[in-house]
Amino acid sequence: MTTQPLAQPKKKKTVWHTIAAQKELIIMSVPLLLYKILFSYVPVVGWTMAFQNYKPAVRSFWKQEWVGFDNFVKLFVGLNGERFLRDLRNTLGQSFLTIVLGYIGSISLALLLNEVKNIKFKKVVQNITYMPHFLSWVIVAGLVSTMLAIPTSGGIINDVLIRLGLIKEPIMFLSEPKYFWWIVACSNLWKEMGWNTIIYLAAMTAIDPTLYEAAVIDGANRYQKMWHITLPGIKSTIVVLLIMNVGHILEAGFEIQYFLGNGLVVEMAEIIDIFVLRYGIQMGNYSLATAAGIFKTVVSIILISMANFIAGRLGEEKLV
Amino acid sequence: MSEKNRKKVDIENIVFTTLNTIYLIFLCVVMVYPMVNTLAVSFNDPLDTVRGGIYIWPRKFTLYNYYVVFNMDSIYKAFYISVTKTIVIVITNLFFTSMLAYTISRKEYIFRRFITVVFVLTMYFNAGLIPNYLLIKNLGMINTFRVYWIPHIVSAFNLIVMRTYIRTIPESLIESAKIDGAREFRIYWQIVLPLIIPCLATIALFVAVGSWNSWFDTFLYNSGKQELSTLQYELQKLLASTMTAGTRGAPAGVTEAGRAGTGSSNVTTPQSLRAAITIFTAVPILLVYPFLQRYFIHGLAIGSVKE
């Protein structure tokens, strides 16, 4: 009978041993990993379409004609180019207005809510202003179009303006291009203003209360406290969100423009995402639409990386 | 502080508080008025509504609009699809996301980093509409029910939130289960899952709201099949038909759409019908809203924990 050695010579732990030991974890996770790769990474192969004259009905996937950067050139010159540049302008304009109005709206609301001493009233206001965030864009677009309609169709805005004597005839808000950017920005404001205060209110709770006490002793009034203590206290939050929003400036939404846009305002309403939809899905010009999509993704990635870099430089936590 | 100064500060405070309260009340009115108005219109007699002047209360009360809505075959089916789709998404998304979150919460797991990176990257880039559409098309999922849930079984953001939450569970708990011979799936199912219920509840509510409110997937993938239409999609179709009337400046009149599904001699207008369907579509959201708001702070708290 041989005695077992007390200490086995230590086996070298190889990757294969680890994998064998963790096979249950692998079975639980790797299928989901493959699933994600299929749904989020495999479509990137489709980017090749942007460098081809892609005609799925005529030729097979492997026999497409390569055209280099032709489609990207087409995005910026000629008739398509005019339309694309217009849509790019609309995307940037609508995003910009949405960001600016959104900031003014939610920061001021957060500041004012912070001044409310009656907790119950504050809670009620918060719960009411958060609510539109949970309504779908379909519903919001319906509400917006009703509110902007002529008075007999429920258009409260025209109704009020007429009663105040500011206008004589109802304004056809949704048929005039010049209002469209504002309508998009205000719809976003209405929907998200309350919800976006959450992050500022959270930042405000982190401000040291002794700062306020010291300010009172120094004779600061309410506005001075808001301006010199509360606002600087949430400055880093504001900066981070601003940078992040600029990074996503090409994401102007889709649904609100699609629902409220119509032939009369298309000049100001159409954004890049709708361009992609119209050319790609509706006209079947996959190549040009994909090129537009790539342009958008690449610019977004550059902007986000820049935003991330700037945030890091400013001493803020990296966003990505 | 002198008596005079104190008085000045008092008056300033009163003025500020009053103006602030007035502004906040005004804001609340702006936030709720559109829905209240829609509610009033939905309960008002359709022909009376066309005359205008309905604000927050119906003038000629009727349930007729809802009667029409509940008798529309398309709305019935769309409601059924919306509910089924939401339930399926919530169950599959929570199950798969939490299972994956469990595996990547285990520090010794060899693929932990790789999986995390693969998922996190998808939060920042997207292949784009056309490549995604072609993928779905090539997978044969156009005009099927599965296109509603299969692309959503794991979401990167929720994955990170859940992983962060699971990490708060003491490791010794998992270790002792292992010593007792429990397999990984059993540890996940019997130990981890019951402990993360608050986190699951929060995410479930947000996933449910997102799914209920989604319109784009129906539009892009399933618009060719009426049986797979959702409530949001049906509401949007109605909106589009009344919008074109509205932009020409004419009040939305009585149309054939209003007679849909009823043999009654009564009529309803697209405007009233739209109001009733809007309320019908928003009610589930408003019903879960009290639960949602209870989790706002909690949900945000778990979402904000970073590494």
Side-chain angles (χ1 to χ4, degrees):
Chain A
M1 202 170 100
T2 53
T3 47
Q4 288 265 320
L6 283 175
Q8 293 240 338
K10 212 172 183 181
K11 265 192 215 159
K12 223 176 155 199
K13 235 183 157 184
T14 63
V15 175
W16 296 110
H17 284 110
T18 322
I19 288 179
Q22 295 180 345
K23 63 175 189 295
E24 289 160 19
L25 287 173
I26 290 172
I27 291 168
M28 283 163 76
S29 61
V30 170
L32 292 169
L33 175 72
L34 296 177
Y35 152 87
K36 193 65 181 177
I37 290 172
L38 173 64
F39 275 88
S40 295
Y41 290 85
V42 170
V44 178
V45 175
W47 282 18
T48 51
M49 286 185 296
F51 303 95
Q52 296 169 334
N53 184 5
Y54 189 69
K55 293 257 162 50
V58 185
R59 300 180 284 263
S60 80
F61 181 80
W62 307 107
K63 289 186 180 149
Q64 297 294 332
E65 176 193 351
W66 291 87
V67 295
F69 282 88
D70 267 16
N71 289 309
F72 290 91
V73 175
K74 272 189 205 154
L75 272 185
F76 294 97
V77 296
L79 227 56
N80 298 327
E82 256 170 55
R83 185 167 173 183
F84 182 74
L85 288 173
R86 180 194 74 188
D87 294 352
L88 180 61
R89 179 203 67 192
N90 289 340
T91 310
L92 292 172
Q94 292 175 11
S95 268
F96 181 75
L97 263 190
T98 303
I99 292 174
V100 171
L101 282 192
Y103 263 91
I104 298 173
S106 44
I107 293 175
S108 61
L109 177 59
L111 284 173
L112 293 174
L113 275 172
N114 198 43
E115 297 294 322
V116 174
K117 295 287 172 288
N118 185 333
I119 301 294
K120 264 220 167 112
F121 178 64
K122 186 176 169 182
K123 272 252 150 70
V124 170
V125 175
Q126 279 180 289
N127 282 334
I128 288 177
T129 52
Y130 294 171
M131 193 208 58
H133 173 78
F134 295 96
L135 297 176
S136 68
W137 273 116
V138 177
I139 290 181
V140 173
L143 297 176
V144 168
S145 74
T146 305
M147 296 301 121
L148 294 175
I150 54 173
T152 49
S153 301
I156 188 79
I157 295 180
N158 274 317
D159 203 339
V160 169
L161 289 176
I162 289 173
R163 273 162 204 253
L164 291 175
L166 294 171
I167 51 171
K168 292 218 164 55
E169 289 288 304
I171 299 172
M172 294 288 128
F173 287 104
L174 287 168
S175 334
E176 285 195 41
K178 63 178 174 192
Y179 296 120
F180 199 84
W181 290 8
W182 291 98
I183 293 171
V184 170
C186 292
S187 309
N188 272 297
L189 181 69
W190 184 79
K191 195 171 187 283
E192 308 295 347
M193 161 179 192
W195 182 252
N196 288 340
T197 60
I198 293 181
I199 195 153
Y200 299 117
L201 289 170
M204 284 175 193
T205 58
I207 298 172
D208 185 359
T210 55
L211 287 174
Y212 291 104
E213 288 161 23
V216 171
I217 292 166
D218 289 343
N221 64 27
R222 189 194 290 266
Y223 310 104
Q224 285 166 329
K225 279 192 283 180
M226 275 161 84
W227 187 255
H228 293 289
I229 300 174
T230 315
L231 218 46
I234 59 169
K235 198 188 81 190
S236 61
T237 311
I238 296 175
V239 171
V240 168
L241 288 180
L242 183 68
I243 293 169
M244 211 149 73
N245 282 327
V246 171
H248 290 107
I249 197 158
L250 289 184
E251 306 283 342
F254 174 87
E255 300 186 11
I256 186 79
Q257 287 89 348
Y258 188 80
F259 298 152
L260 294 182
N262 54 61
L264 299 170
V265 295
V266 67
E267 194 56 34
M268 300 301 272
E270 193 172 277
I271 55 169
I272 295 179
D273 292 294
I274 295 179
F275 176 95
V276 172
L277 183 87
R278 296 249 187 268
Y279 272 79
I281 309 289
Q282 286 165 1
M283 298 185 207
N285 190 344
Y286 290 137
S287 292
L288 194 68
T290 308
I294 293 175
F295 173 80
K296 198 186 132 205
T297 306
V298 169
V299 172
S300 291
I301 289 177
I302 293 171
L303 285 174
I304 292 169
S305 327
M306 266 163 54
N308 206 27
F309 176 76
I310 295 170
R313 267 301 170 84
L314 291 173
E316 304 298 344
E317 201 176 338
K318 287 245 175 158
L319 308 169
V320 182
Chain B
M1 222 185 280
S2 73
E3 190 61 24
K4 207 176 140 195
N5 259 342
R6 185 173 305 237
K7 236 183 196 152
K8 199 179 141 212
V9 170
D10 276 354
I11 290 174
E12 249 181 42
N13 269 339
I14 291 168
V15 170
F16 179 87
T17 310
T18 316
L19 289 179
N20 194 9
T21 312
I22 290 171
Y23 172 72
L24 291 176
I25 290 174
F26 168 75
L27 207 63
C28 288
V29 171
V30 172
M31 294 291 169
V32 295
Y33 176 77
M35 281 312 272
V36 172
N37 178 252
T38 308
L39 193 65
V41 169
S42 74
F43 281 114
N44 197 50
D45 181 71
L47 292 176
D48 182 61
T49 304
V50 178
R51 284 170 44 219
I54 304 296
Y55 296 102
I56 59 169
W57 204 253
R59 197 162 42 205
K60 269 173 107 178
F61 184 85
T62 177
L63 289 172
Y64 184 68
N65 297 317
Y66 287 97
Y67 173 78
V68 174
V69 169
F70 291 130
N71 278 302
M72 281 168 81
D73 220 25
S74 58
I75 295 295
Y76 245 134
K77 283 207 180 105
F79 179 73
Y80 170 74
I81 293 290
S82 281
V83 170
T84 324
K85 154 183 137 136
T86 301
I87 292 172
V88 172
I89 287 184
V90 168
I91 292 173
T92 53
N93 180 297
L94 286 190
F95 173 70
F96 288 113
T97 310
S98 62
M99 187 167 79
L100 189 62
Y102 166 69
T103 64
I104 62 167
S105 75
R106 295 287 300 275
K107 290 208 168 60
E108 74 272 21
Y109 181 38
I110 183 168
F111 295 135
R112 181 173 70 96
R113 282 215 77 83
F114 181 65
I115 293 175
T116 312
V117 169
V118 165
F119 275 84
V120 168
L121 276 182
T122 62
M123 285 160 65
Y124 298 98
F125 92 101
N126 190 327
L129 180 75
I130 306 297
N132 282 331
Y133 174 79
L134 290 178
L135 175 78
I136 297 290
K137 199 173 162 186
N138 288 330
L139 292 174
M141 304 211 305
I142 301 285
N143 290 333
T144 60
F145 183 77
R146 48 183 199 281
V147 77
Y148 283 138
W149 63 276
I150 288 185
H152 304 288
I153 62 173
V154 187
S155 53
F157 181 76
N158 293 344
L159 179 72
I160 302 304
V161 172
M162 282 193 201
R163 183 200 61 175
T164 312
Y165 198 89
I166 292 174
R167 289 234 175 114
T168 62
I169 298 172
E171 221 160 303
S172 52
L173 215 58
I174 292 166
E175 282 306 315
S176 59
K178 263 190 137 177
I179 291 164
D180 289 346
R183 298 278 193 105
E184 295 289 355
F185 187 80
R186 201 163 157 208
I187 298 176
Y188 153 71
W189 189 252
Q190 291 194 334
I191 295 173
V192 174
L193 217 47
L195 287 172
I196 62 168
I197 282 174
C199 177
L200 291 180
T202 315
I203 290 176
L205 284 170
F206 281 89
V207 169
V209 171
S211 156
W212 183 262
N213 280 346
S214 78
W215 164 88
F216 194 69
D217 44 3
T218 317
F219 164 72
L220 192 59
Y221 303 125
N222 285 353
S223 51
K225 209 167 179 186
Q226 179 62 38
E227 301 95 87
L228 291 170
S229 185
T230 53
L231 265 187
Q232 304 287 347
Y233 193 71
E234 289 300 310
L235 179 60
Q236 199 276 328
K237 278 203 286 194
L238 196 63
L239 173 72
S241 69
T242 50
M243 273 273 297
T244 38
T247 46
R248 282 188 227 109
V254 184
T255 68
E256 281 304 308
R259 295 172 187 269
T262 58
S264 157
S265 62
N266 272 324
V267 282
T268 179
T269 62
Q271 191 192 357
S272 299
L273 206 58
R274 201 175 103 189
I277 298 178
T278 300
I279 297 298
F280 184 56
T281 309
V283 157
I285 299 288
L286 300 178
L287 284 182
V288 299
Y289 189 64
F291 298 97
L292 270 172
Q293 58 105 343
R294 202 192 314 165
Y295 286 115
F296 285 161
I297 304 305
H298 186 60
L300 282 164
I302 52 176
S304 63
V305 180
K306 279 195 186 168
E307 282 185 280

